[in-house]
Amino acid sequence: MHLTRLRLHDFRCFEAAEIQPEPTINVITGDNASGKTTLLEAIYFLGRGQSFRQSGPRPAIRAGADAFTVTGEIAVPDGRAHRLGVSRDKRGIRYRKDGEADTSRIDLINTLPLQMVDPNVHRLLEQGPRYRRHFLDWGVFHVEHAFFPAWRRFRRALKQRNRALKARLPKPDIIVWDAELVRAAEIVDASRRAYIDHLYENLPSRTARLLGNEPVILDYDCGWRGDHGYGAALAAGLDQDLRAGFTQQGPHRADLRVSIASASARDWVSRGQQKILTTAMLLTQAQLLYVRRHVRPVLLIDDMAAELGRRYREVLAEEIAALGGQCFLTFLEPGLVPEAVRGGAMFHVEHGVVTRG
Ligand SMILES: Nc1ncnc2c1ncn2[C@@H]1O[C@H](COP(=O)(O)OP(=O)(O)OP(=O)(O)O)[C@@H](O)[C@H]1O
Ligand SMILES: [Mg+2]
């Protein structure tokens, strides 16, 4: 599965642009503010239905224009092709798959699985559990098929329970949601645990190649306390939940901490090593998706050279190339492009104009 054509219309600095990427490596070079990250962002919109930048989709409309459109053609291994489109105007955002207007974000996510490595990837280690949960659940979503329906059920029941807590309803009106929460949480938790086991089997060999033999430890926190299951944790935490006005424990509070040897990764490793470690985690996820579902996700790797010296750039590029899927990598200058990814297509961006080298 890979992108065969990408078209942008009034998307940030691009008035109109089109590229026909290669199924494997695509390198994008260009000066600061030329539009490199924007090209990756456009692809990300196609596969995720939203931006990875904090600001949301509206600012992505080119200054002076009323709407942006991003369209992509996707080739799937069985020979079929799909067209995906995302557009945003004053009324909101719209998704299309093969011309169908009732396309959802989940349709996009399933049609174009993609993973992003941006220059802030180390925040996976440094910042709160939300990023790590997001990382974990991306993999769980694509690989463990029981996960998403259960997660959706859990979110719905959680919303109801929180509403009841906030309104300070009598206890029976709050705990009436617990059975559904517990049923859904058990599936979510089991899916995450199964996925982490696979991650554990595959991550150490990759980190060993990249970082040396310091053991990497993944420490999963399911999001609730005690050894008697989620139902017991909910019952024990009810008074606290009433005081807080929301449900404090559950799979929505899960975490996946990463450490090297005995120290937490963010205390131990340098910034460059953090980047290598987190990128290794993302690449392992991509590999797992192929091993388990025969899907190679598209990788978007922004400013790969940032904070990495030549040696690290080279080993990382070798790992990326070895995955064999479609990848888009950006660099400020051609001189920074590692040997292992020089064989692919080269694109150059200048003031919102892309040319193929
Ligand atoms: N809505 C918009 N309309 C017009 N231009 C925009 C809009 N949003 C962002 N831009 C401009 O798009 C340009 C490209 O930004 P982008 O982040 O893609 O650059 P980049 O090549 O990744 O740069 P860097 O190497 O510094 O990361 C910037 O000059 C930015 O100001
Ligand atoms: Mg950029």
Side-chain angles (χ1 to χ4, degrees):
M1 187 267 334
H2 62 275
L3 194 64
T4 51
R5 191 186 295 267
L6 172 74
R7 282 202 188 98
L8 282 64
H9 194 76
D10 286 337
F11 189 78
R12 295 199 190 274
C13 53
F14 293 94
E15 192 176 337
E18 177 175 328
I19 60 170
Q20 292 177 36
E22 292 296 318
T24 52
I25 302 291
N26 296 274
V27 168
I28 301 163
T29 58
D31 212 343
N32 290 118
S34 56
K36 302 180 299 298
T37 302
T38 301
L39 279 180
L40 300 191
E41 187 185 17
I43 301 170
Y44 194 91
F45 257 109
L46 287 180
R48 298 281 185 101
Q50 60 188 31
S51 175
F52 50 74
R53 303 201 211 229
Q54 303 291 334
S55 52
R58 180 116 196 224
I61 301 173
R62 190 173 64 85
D66 297 326
F68 77 68
T69 310
V70 177
T71 52
E73 291 172 18
I74 319 292
V76 281
D78 65 7
R80 279 177 303 148
H82 292 292
R83 270 180 302 122
L84 293 181
V86 175
S87 55
R88 174 71 165 87
D89 61 15
K90 280 197 286 294
R91 286 170 302 172
I93 193 152
R94 267 171 303 165
Y95 308 129
R96 271 174 199 277
K97 180 180 172 185
D98 299 329
E100 293 286 340
D102 64 347
T103 301
S104 70
R105 261 191 71 208
I106 295 298
D107 294 328
L108 302 187
I109 292 171
N110 279 319
T111 310
L112 185 63
L114 54 82
Q115 189 59 287
M116 169 89 187
V117 180
D118 70 25
N120 297 317
V121 68
H122 56 264
R123 72 183 169 209
L124 200 58
L125 303 176
E126 282 177 339
Q127 295 192 1
R130 194 162 60 90
Y131 290 101
R132 287 184 291 274
R133 243 187 341 263
H134 192 73
F135 158 82
L136 172 64
D137 286 347
W138 179 85
V140 186
F141 170 87
H142 282 294
V143 169
E144 307 289 337
H145 283 169
F147 170 77
F148 186 64
W151 179 240
R152 196 147 59 176
R153 273 173 49 207
F154 177 82
R155 300 291 307 181
R156 278 197 203 121
L158 182 70
K159 212 167 157 183
Q160 299 294 341
R161 191 179 193 267
N162 284 345
R163 206 172 272 167
L165 283 166
K166 206 167 172 200
R168 303 199 175 282
L169 297 185
K171 283 185 181 176
D173 292 340
I174 295 163
I175 61 172
V176 68
W177 298 105
D178 290 11
E180 169 70 352
L181 279 177
V182 169
R183 272 195 300 272
E186 279 170 356
I187 299 169
V188 167
D189 184 52
S191 307
R192 283 174 173 164
R193 285 178 196 274
Y195 184 74
I196 291 166
D197 284 347
H198 292 298
L199 212 51
Y200 235 136
E201 279 165 28
N202 292 279
L203 184 62
S205 59
R206 191 176 298 278
T207 52
R209 276 199 300 278
L210 291 166
L211 287 171
N213 275 324
E214 215 65 70
V216 173
I217 297 156
L218 299 176
D219 183 12
Y220 171 61
D221 173 350
C222 65
W224 61 85
R225 291 184 291 274
D227 301 325
H228 303 291
Y230 186 37
L234 279 174
L238 181 58
D239 288 327
Q240 274 187 0
D241 285 353
L242 270 163
R243 277 194 295 278
F246 64 93
T247 307
Q248 291 174 298
Q249 298 181 66
H252 58 302
R253 306 299 285 270
D255 195 0
L256 181 69
R257 279 180 292 274
V258 184
S259 54
I260 292 186
S262 55
S264 150
R266 66 170 182 223
D267 300 331
W268 175 279
V269 294
S270 75
R271 185 56 78 88
Q273 286 175 314
Q274 285 182 9
K275 180 167 175 169
I276 291 279
L277 174 57
T278 44
T279 308
M281 288 164 62
L282 293 163
L283 297 183
T284 304
Q285 283 196 315
Q287 176 200 348
L288 272 183
L289 188 47
Y290 182 66
V291 170
R292 297 286 307 283
R293 299 270 168 229
H294 287 280
V295 171
R296 292 190 205 274
V298 172
L299 295 177
L300 307 176
I301 305 190
D302 196 18
D303 207 358
M304 186 201 159
E307 294 185 295
L308 294 184
R310 179 180 295 276
R311 190 174 66 83
Y312 274 149
R313 287 203 303 270
E314 289 295 344
V315 279
L316 201 53
E318 283 166 17
E319 294 281 308
I320 291 163
L323 278 175
Q326 190 175 40
C327 184
F328 294 82
L329 305 107
T330 76
F331 296 90
L332 275 170
E333 288 158 16
L336 293 168
V337 181
E339 198 62 43
V341 291
R342 282 209 188 136
M346 296 286 278
F347 297 95
H348 185 70
V349 205
E350 229 172 289
H351 305 300
V353 177
V354 201
T355 47
R356 184 156 179 172

